[in-house]
Amino acid sequence: ETPATDGERVYASFGGNVGLFCYSLDGKLLWKKTWPAQPIYLDFGTASSPVVHGGRVYQMHDNAAESFLVALDAKTGEQRWMIPTRSRVESSPVIAGDLAIAATTAGKLYLIDAATGEVKYENDFGGGFTASPAVGDGKIVLGNTDGTLYYLGSTTKSEGLTTEAQRTQRSE
């Protein structure tokens, strides 16, 4: 996990069974958020890093029992919303426009209203996503473990999202 900052505070995740911690820039603990301990897949630990945007901290919580994406208030740590991903997550969330983007190891992609937590789009692409999605030129790009690269557009407003994905297969 890589810490994140909004220029006022530093947010550090120490894995789902330890928690997400918020520090002042001089190292003082401001708040922490913990969840009940859960079994971790093969005891690998977690990989997702927190993302800070728009006064919220977004964190994927990965475990073998109930993985989820959560949005917390950046100043207080109060939970704003949480959605279950129904499968494990190794990637970090991505914020693009008004969307929080989450991908799972089971090949599911979620586009979520970053402010409210409302799921705007959900699709099971198969394969598995372990790397974080990339966003550029109004498109979401993500590759899965079977070698398929997906391009989805538009990321600027959730209302303008097209649900069709272009697919590029790796050549052997």
Side-chain angles (χ1 to χ4, degrees), residues 19-102:
L20 181 65
F21 295 76
C22 174
Y23 297 93
S24 65
L25 295 180
D26 62 1
K28 178 183 173 195
L29 178 64
L30 300 175
W31 57 259
K32 65 181 178 179
K33 177 70 175 171
T34 59
W35 294 273
Q38 299 288 337
I40 301 294
Y41 177 71
L42 297 178
D43 291 328
F44 283 161
T46 58
S48 178
S49 298
V51 174
V52 185
H53 180 77
R56 291 179 194 83
V57 181
Y58 301 88
Q59 178 70 49
M60 298 289 273
H61 187 280
D62 180 38
N63 63 66
E66 56 175 344
S67 296
F68 55 85
L69 172 62
V70 64
L72 306 174
D73 183 278
K75 288 184 181 177
T76 67
E78 179 182 335
Q79 184 173 305
R80 295 295 181 203
W81 54 261
M82 185 270 298
I83 64 146
T85 59
R86 296 188 287 284
S87 62
R88 294 189 43 254
V89 292
E90 293 180 6
S91 62
S92 298
V94 174
I95 307 299
D98 64 349
L99 295 172
I101 304 166

